[in-house]
Amino acid sequence: MGNTSSMLTQYDIEEVQQHCNHTFSQQEIVSLYQRFCQLDRNGCGFVPAEEFLSVPEFAVNPLSQRLLRMVDGLNFKEFVAFLSAFSPRAPLQHKIEFIFKVYDSDGNGKVTFSDMLDVLHDLTGQFVSEQQRKQVLTRVLEEAGYSKDSFLVLSDFVKILGNSDMKMEVEVPVD
Amino acid sequence: MDTPGNLKTSSSELDLDRPNIEDYLPSGSSIQEPIGKLRLRDLLDISPTLTEAAGAIVDDSFTRCFKSNPPEPWNWNVYLFPLWCCGVVIRYGILFPVRVLVLAIGWIIFLSSYIPVHLLLKGQDKLRKKIERSLVEVICMFFVASWTGVVKYHGPRPSRRPKQVFVANHTSMIDFIILEQMTPFAVIMQKHPGWVGLLQSTILESVGCIWFHRSEAKDREIVAKKLKDHVQGADNNPLLIFPEGTCVNNHYTVMFKKGAFELDSTVCPIAIKYNKIFVDAFWNSRKQSFTTHLLQLMTSWAVVCDVWYLEPQNLRPGETPIEFAERVRGIISARAGLKKVPWDGYLKYSRPSPKHRERKQQRFAESVLRSLEEK
């Protein structure tokens, strides 16, 4: 009887909303919860990496392995917080922080030359040689006033990406 | 069947089978191509790729195809609730036992005639085949009766003649039963475990059905050869293929495998559309066994469905089997009101090929390389 989404009470939804700084509406959270339950097929409270990879559109993404490390083992609340960077209501600062976290794989708050090289490797694969990648990266870094040995912190990212017209938005389907 | 645990990347040989996925997905070029000079910002801004990944996490067209959609609950108020309860009592207390009885009688009739016919008429192959064929039709009728199948058939009934193949969209194994009660088709199906498998290897074998294991690559060649031989035979039952290769929830159609379309024969499309008014006929094989699925159908009021036998199609000059398959899929999808998605249904059992990722990488790499040359 009734709808399965009623498993989330108003309190739960509000709690999740608070956790993600109200970047998603209540309706969207209900939708996300249904999606989460669909992906969490065994009902263990988190989505195993295996399940994310069974979504082909995700599996073919060049950055999927990197994102998988961030999203693996998240419970629903963390899952929503993870996705909140993609909400149209999220501030640009939040989106840039997210991008920074993708680069900063060891989570020490610094993005080094090799971090950037790794991401570039994911994006270009075998089509660009390691040598060429290094060359390009060194050049653009120098042009922007950095060097090969300097590491970038969050404020550098904000400075670099802050005034771009970045459109990092995902629409949550609400029925 | 492959267990979800041993997933593997589909081999490159299979890649040639598929239509281009990019043709279907919105906004083909996902990775932004920087205009003019490459700047640090362009390299660091990975937002398009991230957006795409997050979009796939939130919703994607592949898993939608295999989602069970429960019938809309209608017992929404206090007055209707007692009525709904009555319905439950009738369905489980009266209808279900009656249906079990009907099915049991069906099986008794079937087995008591099939076994003697099969054993005694060893010499007269033609006669034996004919009787066995009608017996299979009879048992399928009992099956359809056991879920009060209200099936409407549109269009001319299939005839038996060489060099024609029937293809249909696939929602559940009951598709086969519904089609079989009208015409004894020989079907190509995945080999199932349990009692279904037993039926497959004993009884259905006699209508000329061909079985294969999805996971065994070797089977592909053998089946392909068997298919070719089967279509040539004039007296063989018409061949029925579900080119999707897996059950889809009757809202979408996934890629048609090209096998059925390169047999050098006429392809007769069949569109099947279930009405979800009482029960969802989609067999979600990941969640339930076929027995549970049948029980679910037998405890519902009725299975309502439409079957359309559509205009036979031939390979047009200059058309590849893949294009032909896509054209037939278009015809079936349009008739049954299904949405087309580019995915290969086998992705339920394996990972997409790295080729698709590589295509995305290549696009980005080109822009990087271009900027390198500009220097």
Side-chain angles (χ1 to χ4, degrees), chain B residues 22-247:
Chain B
E22 270 84 17
D23 293 350
Y24 291 83
L25 296 179
S27 70
S29 113
S30 61
I31 297 174
Q32 205 174 28
E33 278 187 44
I35 316 134
K37 205 166 172 305
L38 188 79
R39 289 157 304 173
L40 180 59
R41 178 206 290 175
D42 302 316
L43 269 193
L44 288 189
D45 185 4
I46 50 175
S47 63
T49 315
L50 292 178
T51 309
E52 208 176 65
I57 291 178
V58 171
D59 187 21
D60 76 292
S61 61
F62 180 73
T63 40
R64 273 180 177 222
C65 299
F66 307 106
K67 208 161 108 185
S68 318
N69 297 288
E72 290 281 311
W74 59 273
N75 50 320
W76 38 268
N77 74 21
V78 184
Y79 311 110
L80 283 176
F81 184 64
L83 257 173
W84 181 79
C85 290
C86 286
V88 171
V89 172
I90 295 174
R91 285 193 286 126
Y92 286 82
I94 302 172
L95 275 183
F96 181 62
V98 169
R99 285 164 172 182
V100 171
L101 194 71
V102 166
L103 200 57
I105 293 172
W107 275 110
I108 292 169
I109 294 175
F110 176 76
L111 288 177
S112 60
S113 17
Y114 184 87
I115 296 172
V117 167
H118 192 71
L119 295 177
L120 296 177
L121 291 175
K122 273 264 145 71
Q124 297 138 290
D125 257 8
K126 228 176 173 171
L127 180 67
R128 183 178 61 118
K129 274 218 170 121
K130 208 176 151 201
I131 298 177
E132 284 181 355
R133 213 178 268 159
S134 12
L135 281 173
V136 170
E137 263 179 72
V138 168
I139 187 67
C140 285
M141 263 180 223
F142 274 104
F143 259 116
V144 174
S146 79
W147 1 276
T148 323
V150 184
V151 189
K152 239 195 209 155
Y153 295 91
H154 311 258
R157 301 281 175 280
S159 56
R160 193 182 321 144
R161 58 177 95 147
K163 288 191 135 291
Q164 61 171 2
V165 182
F166 290 82
V167 299
N169 58 313
H170 199 18
T171 309
S172 161
M173 216 130 67
I174 69 168
D175 294 340
F176 165 70
I177 299 173
I178 284 172
L179 294 176
E180 195 81 4
Q181 73 158 353
M182 290 302 292
T183 329
F185 284 111
V187 76
I188 318 299
M189 257 191 183
Q190 154 84 9
K191 181 91 174 135
H192 286 272
W195 64 270
V196 183
L198 189 71
L199 286 190
Q200 284 180 324
S201 51
T202 53
I203 291 156
L204 292 176
E205 191 99 21
S206 68
V207 255
C209 295
I210 299 169
W211 314 113
F212 67 95
H213 291 277
R214 195 177 272 132
S215 47
E216 277 178 45
K218 199 175 62 196
D219 272 20
R220 288 170 74 94
E221 283 165 39
I222 303 172
V223 168
K225 189 167 179 314
K226 276 193 197 161
L227 285 184
K228 285 227 165 78
D229 295 342
H230 189 105
V231 226
Q232 301 302 333
D235 193 44
N236 286 336
N237 292 325
L239 199 62
L240 171 66
I241 298 178
F242 297 107
E244 288 173 303
T246 187
C247 296

Side-chain angles (χ1 to χ4, degrees), chain B residues 242-305:
Chain B
F242 297 107
E244 288 173 303
T246 187
C247 296
V248 186
N249 68 3
N250 215 231
H251 287 285
Y252 297 88
T253 49
V254 297
M255 190 193 93
F256 275 17
K257 302 251 160 204
K258 66 177 173 162
F261 301 89
E262 48 186 15
L263 293 172
D264 195 21
S265 354
T266 307
V267 171
C268 313
I270 302 176
I272 307 172
K273 178 71 182 174
Y274 291 92
N275 187 330
K276 288 240 186 71
I277 183 161
F278 297 122
V279 68
D280 182 9
F282 168 52
W283 175 32
N284 194 341
S285 58
R286 278 185 154 187
K287 283 216 172 118
Q288 50 185 193
S289 69
F290 188 60
T291 317
T292 341
H293 177 56
L294 273 188
L295 287 180
Q296 195 190 331
L297 297 177
M298 286 172 76
T299 50
S300 78
W301 287 108
V303 173
V304 185
C305 100

Side-chain angles (χ1 to χ4, degrees), chain A residues 1 35 38 50 55-57 59-61 64 67 103 122-123 127 135-136 139 143 163 166 168-169, chain B residues 7 37 41 43-44 47 49 51 56-58 60-63 75 343 351 357-358 361 371-372 375:
Chain A
M1 249 203 297
R35 175 65 171 175
Q38 189 200 353
E50 193 67 9
V55 176
E57 277 166 53
V60 300
N61 194 289
S64 59
L67 288 169
Y103 274 96
D122 287 348
L123 286 174
F127 298 98
Q135 209 180 328
V136 169
R139 205 187 76 206
E143 277 169 5
N163 48 6
M166 187 163 51
M168 202 165 105
E169 289 173 12
Chain B
L7 290 161
K37 205 166 172 305
R41 178 206 290 175
L43 269 193
L44 288 189
S47 63
T49 315
T51 309
I57 291 178
V58 171
D60 76 292
S61 61
F62 180 73
T63 40
N75 50 320
W343 304 107
R351 293 272 171 270
R357 172 190 309 218
E358 280 164 13
Q361 289 175 331
S371 81
L372 201 64
K375 188 170 57 161

